[in-house]
Structure formats: C-alpha cells, structure tokens
Amino acid sequence: MTARRKPWKTRTFDRPVIVQSTDTEHVETFSRGERVKNIMRIGPTRVMFEPVSTHRVVRTYAMDWSEFEKATTAVLEAGAAGDGQ
C-alpha cells in the first residue's frame, strides 16, 4: 500500500487579503477568520482555493503561493483525528 499525501482540509485567513477569481473577472477581500477549502497549487508560484462561505460571487480564487502561506493558518478539522487507521 502506498502512502498518500492529503491536501489541507481548510485554512483560515489571519488578516484581510485581496484575491482575484480564477476567471480574472472579480476581485474580493477575504476577511480575517474567513476559511477556504480545496486548496491546490497551480504552478510553482500560485495557489487556487474555494471559499467555505457561500456569500462569495464566484467559486474559485487564486493568489501568490508565498502570500497565501503568510496570510493563512491550517485548520484542524474535527474529524481529522479519526481519519488515520
């Protein structure tokens, strides 16, 4: 059996950050405490993610990877402790 690398479940923004939608048509500010999910690296310098909140205009956003790392913190999901068997 091969070990599988799991992506982060969610991350939360530590401060307000301006991000652009992946279709480049919308620019929004994600507030401190706002959570994102389905985080994926796209190329060496970008990251794509979806907001957990449903009030956003579009479903996917992208930003610089290093800025994303500085502006967010990983969130431990309640069910994560029971995932490993």
Side-chain angles (χ1 to χ4, degrees), residues 3 11 13-14 21 24 27 30-31 35 42 44 51 54 62 77 85:
R11 288 184 74 87
F13 280 95
D14 300 327
S21 62
T24 68
V27 174
F30 276 65
S31 303
R35 288 172 42 164
I42 49 174
T54 58
E77 297 289 324
Q85 290 183 345

Side-chain angles (χ1 to χ4, degrees), residues 6-45:
K6 291 184 178 182
W8 295 308
K9 297 286 185 189
T10 61
R11 288 184 74 87
T12 186
F13 280 95
D14 300 327
R15 58 185 167 84
V17 176
I18 297 170
V19 299
Q20 188 171 33
S21 62
T22 52
D23 64 6
T24 68
E25 293 183 20
H26 301 279
V27 174
E28 295 192 63
T29 301
F30 276 65
S31 303
R32 183 180 186 273
E34 193 160 354
R35 288 172 42 164
V36 294
K37 62 183 180 177
N38 297 333
I39 301 154
M40 291 179 14
R41 290 282 299 262
I42 49 174
T45 62

Side-chain angles (χ1 to χ4, degrees), residues 38-79:
N38 297 333
I39 301 154
M40 291 179 14
R41 290 282 299 262
I42 49 174
T45 62
R46 303 285 289 167
V47 63
M48 180 174 73
F49 52 88
E50 297 177 14
V52 171
S53 173
T54 58
H55 78 276
R56 294 288 169 193
V57 176
V58 294
R59 290 186 45 119
T60 56
Y61 295 84
M63 65 185 290
D64 180 73
W65 171 250
S66 61
E67 180 66 17
F68 182 78
E69 279 192 311
K70 291 176 197 171
T72 63
T73 303
V75 176
L76 181 61
E77 297 289 324

